[in-house]
Structure formats: structure tokens, C-alpha cells
Amino acid sequence: MKNILDAPFIREMKETTANMYRLGWDERNGGNISYLLDSDEVYEYLDANNVLRTIPLGFDAKSMAGKIFVVTGRGKYFKNVAGNPEENLGIIRITGDGTAADLLWGYAGGGVFTSEFPAHLMSHMARLSVDPENRVVMHTHPTYTLAMNFVHELDDKKFTHSLWEMCTECIAVFPEGIGVLPWMLCGTNSIGEATAEKMKDFRVVIWGMHGLYAAGKDMDETFGLVETVEKAAQIYMLTAHLPRVNTIKDEEMMELAEYFGVNYRKDFLNL
């Protein structure tokens, strides 16, 4: 059996969490990631029958029964993942009745998955119903995106439009736009349900005055999606107090989207 520390999905988690911490998006134990894995690949590294312990989920995830995830741990710091993945990450398999997760590896020292894992699972279910290739859900606190929450109306169309205006690439990278939620208590099923509902239409959902959730087909795509939103928010915050001399016009955004052949939200443009 292969060494689990050499698995590509462990390497991706180590590299991505290190990058997110380096960029200042995930202070202390802020942020969490869940990554839906291929079972056959996992079993090259782990014994399918060796369950270390079983952890209750706190909600019904029966539609995800048998699915395997690598998930960041509760109360764990992204800055520590690369140096000690076995303590800060866990590989779990959803039980047959969908009420718990079997721990196959990780969470050394008695740890458990992030408190927001139920919200992750709800988002996974929503995204898989739209695109069966979506495998990553990422929650993070990017600085400028969060700052923008305090000075911009929290509305799907208006928030999206402001970001699309900031960088030529934006409408091509997130053509479906951005979903926006008001402030809600984190770590609850309620915010998970609200996020999942938005995830049916959007791959990025803003948690008002908190951070964002993003989903994608792999780690690179999801990280790049957050990166693009954050760059646009940074430009917005650097220019919001200044008189605007130039902007990307709605007609130009439409031209961009149609040139790149993306399915964009036409109703989010003012044409």
C-alpha cells in the first residue's frame, strides 16, 4: 500500500492551505476546505475496512453515503497543515445511513472535521446536482472581498456587476455571477441550507461580513475563482473613493462573454 503522505490530494491540500494562509485569507483557524475524492484512488493508500472512529454529522446526508472526502479539522490553523497534515486534516467516508462519517485517516489526537462541514456537504450536494464534476468546496476570508461587504449593497446582481467592472477577465471567470447572503450565524445548518440554495446558481457565495464559499472541479479552479473575485474586490476598494474616469461598459462585458463563449447572466447587465 502506498504512503498516504505521498497522495496527490494530500499534497494539494498542503499547498493550497499554505497559499491561502500566506495571502492572509485565513487567519488563525479561519477557513476550511472539503475535497471529494475518488474512492479507488483513496484505497491505493488506505484500507477501506480500517475505520479509526465514527463522527456524527448532525444532519442527514444520505445522498452522499459512501462518498469520501479529505477535510480540514475543527479549530486547526491553515499555517500548520503542511507541517503536520495527519493532525490538521482527516479523510472521512459518509456512512450508509448518512448520519455520520467514518474516519479513515487523520485528525490525530482526537480531532474532528470543521464545524462547517455540514454546510460544505450541503454545498457539495447542490453543486453536484448542477455539475457532477464539482469536487471542491472552499470557505475563506479574503481581505478585500470582506472589506467590500461593508461599503457595498449586499445584492447578487449589484455585487456581481461591480466586480465584473473591475477586471476584464471577471465575466469570463465567473459568468454566472456571485450569490450574496446577509450576515448569518456560522456553523449552523441554517447558513448551510441558505448557501446550498445559492450554490444551485452560483459557484461563489458571499457570507455577509464573514467571507465566502466557492466551489469548483478541482483545487486549482476553485482557488483561481477565489483569487479572481478577491483581485476584483481589491481594485474596487482601491478606487471606490475616487472619481471614476473609465470603466468597462456593459456592452463591452457582453462582447467579452460572447467572445469567450461563456453562459453569462444577461439579467445582471444593464443593457
Side-chain angles (χ1 to χ4, degrees), residues 97-136:
D97 64 2
T99 64
D102 288 334
L103 179 63
L104 303 179
W105 175 86
Y107 302 145
V112 295
F113 45 70
T114 170
S115 61
E116 290 173 356
F117 185 53
H120 278 250
L121 274 178
M122 292 176 200
S123 289
H124 276 289
M125 287 187 255
R127 287 308 308 165
L128 288 169
S129 72
V130 175
D131 184 345
E133 293 186 8
N134 272 202
R135 305 181 71 84
V136 175

Coordinates of all heavy atoms in Angstrom, one line a residue, residues 97-136:
D97 N -26.1 5.3 6.4 CA -27.4 6.0 6.7 C -27.3 7.5 6.6 O -28.3 8.2 6.9 CB -27.8 5.6 8.1 CG -26.9 6.0 9.2 OD1 -25.9 6.6 8.9 OD2 -27.1 5.7 10.4
G98 N -26.1 8.0 6.3 CA -25.9 9.4 6.1 C -25.9 10.3 7.3 O -25.9 11.5 7.2
T99 N -25.8 9.7 8.5 CA -25.9 10.5 9.7 C -24.5 10.7 10.4 O -24.4 11.4 11.4 CB -26.8 9.8 10.8 OG1 -26.2 8.5 11.1 CG2 -28.2 9.6 10.2
A100 N -23.5 10.1 9.8 CA -22.1 10.1 10.5 C -21.1 9.9 9.4 O -21.4 9.7 8.2 CB -22.0 9.1 11.6
A101 N -19.8 10.1 9.8 CA -18.7 9.9 8.9 C -17.7 9.0 9.6 O -17.3 9.1 10.8 CB -18.0 11.2 8.6
D102 N -17.2 8.0 8.9 CA -16.2 7.1 9.3 C -14.8 7.7 9.1 O -14.5 8.1 7.9 CB -16.2 5.7 8.6 CG -17.4 4.9 9.1 OD1 -17.9 5.1 10.2 OD2 -17.9 4.0 8.3
L103 N -14.0 7.8 10.1 CA -12.6 8.4 9.9 C -11.7 7.3 9.4 O -11.5 6.3 10.1 CB -12.2 8.9 11.2 CG -10.8 9.6 11.3 CD1 -10.7 10.8 10.3 CD2 -10.3 10.0 12.7
L104 N -11.1 7.5 8.3 CA -10.2 6.5 7.7 C -8.7 6.9 8.0 O -7.8 6.0 7.9 CB -10.4 6.4 6.2 CG -11.8 6.0 5.8 CD1 -11.9 5.9 4.2 CD2 -12.2 4.6 6.4
W105 N -8.5 8.2 8.2 CA -7.1 8.7 8.4 C -7.2 10.1 8.9 O -8.1 10.9 8.6 CB -6.3 8.6 7.1 CG -4.9 9.2 7.2 CD1 -3.8 8.6 7.6 CD2 -4.6 10.6 6.9 NE1 -2.7 9.5 7.6 CE2 -3.2 10.7 7.2 CE3 -5.3 11.7 6.5 CZ2 -2.5 11.9 7.0 CZ3 -4.6 12.9 6.3 CH2 -3.2 13.0 6.6
G106 N -6.2 10.5 9.8 CA -6.1 11.9 10.2 C -6.8 12.2 11.5 O -7.1 11.3 12.3
Y107 N -6.9 13.5 11.7 CA -7.4 14.1 13.0 C -6.7 13.4 14.2 O -7.4 13.1 15.2 CB -8.9 13.9 13.1 CG -9.7 14.6 11.9 CD1 -10.9 14.0 11.4 CD2 -9.3 15.8 11.4 CE1 -11.6 14.6 10.4 CE2 -10.0 16.4 10.4 CZ -11.1 15.8 9.9 OH -11.9 16.4 8.8
A108 N -5.4 13.3 14.1 CA -4.7 12.7 15.2 C -4.8 13.5 16.4 O -4.9 14.7 16.4 CB -3.2 12.6 14.8
G109 N -4.9 12.8 17.5 CA -5.1 13.5 18.8 C -6.5 13.7 19.2 O -6.8 14.5 20.1
G110 N -7.4 13.1 18.4 CA -8.9 13.2 18.8 C -9.6 14.3 18.1 O -10.7 14.7 18.5
G111 N -9.1 14.9 17.0 CA -9.7 16.0 16.3 C -10.9 15.5 15.5 O -11.2 14.3 15.4
V112 N -11.7 16.5 15.0 CA -12.8 16.2 14.1 C -12.8 17.1 12.9 O -12.0 18.1 12.9 CB -14.2 16.3 14.9 CG1 -14.2 15.2 16.0 CG2 -14.3 17.7 15.5
F113 N -13.7 16.9 12.0 CA -13.8 17.8 10.8 C -14.3 19.2 11.3 O -14.9 19.4 12.3 CB -14.7 17.2 9.8 CG -16.0 16.6 10.2 CD1 -17.0 17.4 10.7 CD2 -16.2 15.3 10.2 CE1 -18.2 16.9 11.2 CE2 -17.4 14.7 10.7 CZ -18.4 15.5 11.2
T114 N -14.1 20.2 10.4 CA -14.6 21.6 10.7 C -16.0 21.6 11.0 O -16.8 20.8 10.5 CB -14.3 22.5 9.4 OG1 -15.0 23.7 9.6 CG2 -14.9 21.8 8.2
S115 N -16.4 22.5 11.9 CA -17.8 22.7 12.3 C -18.7 23.0 11.2 O -19.9 22.9 11.2 CB -17.9 23.8 13.4 OG -17.5 25.0 12.9
E116 N -18.1 23.5 10.1 CA -18.9 23.9 8.9 C -19.0 22.8 7.9 O -19.4 23.0 6.8 CB -18.3 25.2 8.3 CG -18.6 26.4 9.2 CD -17.9 27.7 8.8 OE1 -17.1 27.7 7.8 OE2 -18.1 28.7 9.4
F117 N -18.5 21.6 8.2 CA -18.6 20.5 7.3 C -20.1 20.2 6.8 O -20.3 19.9 5.6 CB -17.9 19.3 7.8 CG -17.9 18.1 6.8 CD1 -17.3 18.3 5.5 CD2 -18.4 16.9 7.1 CE1 -17.3 17.3 4.6 CE2 -18.3 15.9 6.2 CZ -17.8 16.1 4.9
P118 N -21.1 20.3 7.7 CA -22.4 20.1 7.2 C -22.8 21.1 6.1 O -23.4 20.8 5.1 CB -23.3 20.3 8.5 CG -22.4 19.8 9.6 CD -21.0 20.3 9.2
A119 N -22.4 22.4 6.3 CA -22.6 23.4 5.2 C -21.8 23.0 4.0 O -22.3 23.2 2.8 CB -22.1 24.8 5.7
H120 N -20.6 22.5 4.1 CA -19.9 22.0 3.0 C -20.6 20.9 2.2 O -20.8 20.9 1.0 CB -18.5 21.5 3.4 CG -17.5 22.5 3.6 ND1 -16.4 22.6 2.8 CD2 -17.3 23.4 4.6 CE1 -15.6 23.6 3.2 NE2 -16.2 24.1 4.3
L121 N -21.1 19.9 3.0 CA -21.8 18.8 2.4 C -23.1 19.3 1.6 O -23.4 18.8 0.5 CB -22.2 17.8 3.4 CG -21.2 16.7 3.8 CD1 -21.7 15.8 4.9 CD2 -20.8 15.9 2.6
M122 N -23.8 20.2 2.2 CA -25.0 20.7 1.6 C -24.6 21.4 0.2 O -25.3 21.3 -0.8 CB -25.7 21.7 2.5 CG -26.3 21.1 3.7 SD -27.1 22.3 4.8 CE -27.2 21.4 6.3
S123 N -23.5 22.2 0.3 CA -23.0 22.8 -1.0 C -22.5 21.8 -2.0 O -22.8 21.9 -3.2 CB -21.9 23.8 -0.6 OG -22.4 24.9 0.0
H124 N -21.8 20.7 -1.5 CA -21.4 19.7 -2.4 C -22.7 19.1 -3.1 O -22.7 18.8 -4.3 CB -20.7 18.6 -1.7 CG -19.2 18.8 -1.5 ND1 -18.3 18.8 -2.5 CD2 -18.5 19.1 -0.4 CE1 -17.1 19.1 -2.0 NE2 -17.2 19.3 -0.7
M125 N -23.7 18.8 -2.3 CA -24.9 18.2 -2.9 C -25.5 19.1 -4.0 O -26.0 18.7 -5.0 CB -25.9 17.9 -1.8 CG -25.6 16.7 -0.9 SD -26.9 16.3 0.2 CE -26.2 16.9 1.8
A126 N -25.6 20.4 -3.6 CA -26.2 21.4 -4.6 C -25.3 21.5 -5.9 O -25.9 21.5 -7.0 CB -26.3 22.8 -3.9
R127 N -24.0 21.6 -5.7 CA -23.2 21.7 -6.9 C -23.2 20.4 -7.8 O -23.2 20.5 -9.0 CB -21.7 22.1 -6.5 CG -21.5 23.5 -6.0 CD -22.1 24.5 -6.9 NE -21.6 24.4 -8.3 CZ -22.2 25.0 -9.3 NH1 -23.2 25.8 -9.2 NH2 -21.7 24.9 -10.5
L128 N -23.1 19.3 -7.1 CA -23.1 18.0 -7.9 C -24.4 17.8 -8.6 O -24.5 17.2 -9.7 CB -22.9 16.8 -6.9 CG -21.5 16.7 -6.3 CD1 -21.5 15.7 -5.2 CD2 -20.5 16.3 -7.4
S129 N -25.5 18.4 -8.1 CA -26.8 18.3 -8.9 C -26.8 19.2 -10.1 O -27.5 18.9 -11.1 CB -28.0 18.8 -8.0 OG -27.9 20.2 -7.7
V130 N -25.9 20.2 -10.1 CA -25.7 21.1 -11.3 C -24.6 20.6 -12.2 O -24.8 20.6 -13.4 CB -25.5 22.5 -10.8 CG1 -25.2 23.4 -12.0 CG2 -26.6 23.0 -10.0
D131 N -23.5 20.2 -11.6 CA -22.3 19.8 -12.3 C -21.6 18.7 -11.6 O -21.0 18.9 -10.6 CB -21.3 21.0 -12.5 CG -20.1 20.6 -13.3 OD1 -19.9 19.4 -13.6 OD2 -19.4 21.6 -13.7
P132 N -21.8 17.4 -12.1 CA -21.3 16.3 -11.4 C -19.7 16.2 -11.2 O -19.2 15.4 -10.5 CB -21.8 15.1 -12.2 CG -22.2 15.6 -13.5 CD -22.6 17.0 -13.3
E133 N -19.1 17.2 -11.9 CA -17.6 17.2 -11.8 C -17.1 18.1 -10.7 O -15.9 18.2 -10.4 CB -17.0 17.7 -13.2 CG -17.2 16.7 -14.3 CD -16.5 17.1 -15.6 OE1 -15.7 18.1 -15.5 OE2 -16.7 16.4 -16.6
N134 N -18.0 18.9 -10.1 CA -17.6 19.8 -9.0 C -17.2 18.9 -7.8 O -18.0 18.2 -7.2 CB -18.7 20.7 -8.6 CG -18.7 22.0 -9.4 OD1 -19.2 23.0 -9.0 ND2 -18.1 22.0 -10.6
R135 N -16.0 19.1 -7.3 CA -15.5 18.2 -6.2 C -14.9 19.0 -5.0 O -14.6 18.4 -4.0 CB -14.4 17.3 -6.8 CG -14.8 16.5 -8.0 CD -13.7 15.6 -8.5 NE -13.5 14.5 -7.6 CZ -14.2 13.4 -7.6 NH1 -15.2 13.2 -8.4 NH2 -13.9 12.4 -6.7
V136 N -14.7 20.3 -5.2 CA -14.1 21.1 -4.1 C -15.0 22.1 -3.6 O -15.7 22.8 -4.4 CB -12.8 21.7 -4.6 CG1 -12.2 22.6 -3.5 CG2 -11.8 20.7 -5.0

